[in-house]
Every structure is written in C-alpha cells, then in structure tokens.
Amino acid sequence: MNDMDFINDLKANGFTDKDISRLRNIVESVPTKDQTFASIVLDLSKRFWGGVISLAIIAICFIFGLLHADEKSKVISYFIGAIFGVTVVYIVTPMKLAWKAYRYMAKNK
C-alpha cells in the first residue's frame, strides 16, 4: 500500500486533514527516509497505553496528595506538579492522535 492509499484509509477511519498534516510533518522532519505513515501510526498506537498509564499515575499521585496534604500550599504544589506532568505526557504522546492510531491499528489487525 502506497502512502496515498494509506492516507485515504486513515481519512476513512477518523483521521482529519489536520491529523494527516501533523503526520506528514513528522514523516518529513525525520532525517532517515525509512519512516513512513504506517510506521508513525504504529509508533503512536504503541505510545497510547504508555500515555494512559502515565496519566493514571499522575492522577493517583495528585489524589494522594489532595487526601494527605495538611496545608493549602501543599495542595497547590501537587496541582502544579500534576499540570506539569500532564503537559509533558501530552507533548511526548499526543493523546488524541495516539488514540486514533491505536483504534486504527486495533481495527486493522
């Protein structure tokens, strides 16, 4: 399957033009030419569960902090830490795109 057929298949399975352009930017920015749309989608689908687990750990730590904090300043520090953690996870694993890739790979196994 060439890239154009794969792109059309992605569009048929819920990827928007904005998602396709983000994938195209990733493929074109990689210095090696062995990266394709299929390899990027596979990588994103693998990152999905890592992102989910990371967000769950951040949420658990935040809830633990809320339940055991005895001062308002500690609650604020847990909140800032949670926001920072969620931001890092979102940058490393764009969850919306990873979810679409995971769903696509699960459907097309």
Side-chain angles (χ1 to χ4, degrees):
M1 180 183 298
N2 65 20
D3 279 347
M4 208 55 192
D5 292 337
F6 192 74
I7 290 171
N8 290 333
D9 194 33
L10 290 176
K11 286 182 182 179
N13 284 289
F15 283 78
T16 63
D17 288 332
K18 184 178 177 182
D19 297 333
I20 300 296
S21 68
R22 286 180 70 190
L23 291 174
R24 182 172 283 119
N25 288 340
I26 294 169
V27 169
E28 291 172 355
S29 70
V30 176
T32 60
K33 295 298 178 188
D34 60 339
Q35 290 283 11
T36 62
F37 281 100
S39 65
I40 298 295
V41 170
L42 178 64
D43 184 46
L44 279 171
S45 71
K46 290 178 182 178
R47 286 185 187 191
F48 173 71
W49 281 111
V52 169
I53 291 169
S54 298
L55 291 175
I57 290 170
I58 292 168
I60 289 169
C61 291
F62 179 66
I63 292 169
F64 177 81
L66 287 178
L67 295 176
H68 292 89
D70 52 354
E71 297 174 13
K72 186 178 180 180
S73 63
K74 289 184 180 180
V75 172
I76 292 171
S77 63
Y78 277 107
F79 180 73
I80 291 170
I83 294 297
F84 177 75
V86 168
T87 303
V88 169
V89 169
Y90 186 76
I91 289 171
V92 172
T93 307
M95 292 303 290
K96 182 180 174 185
L97 200 55
W99 164 246
K100 288 180 180 182
Y102 175 76
R103 198 176 58 198
Y104 174 80
M105 294 304 289
K107 183 178 178 183
N108 294 316
K109 273 192 175 183

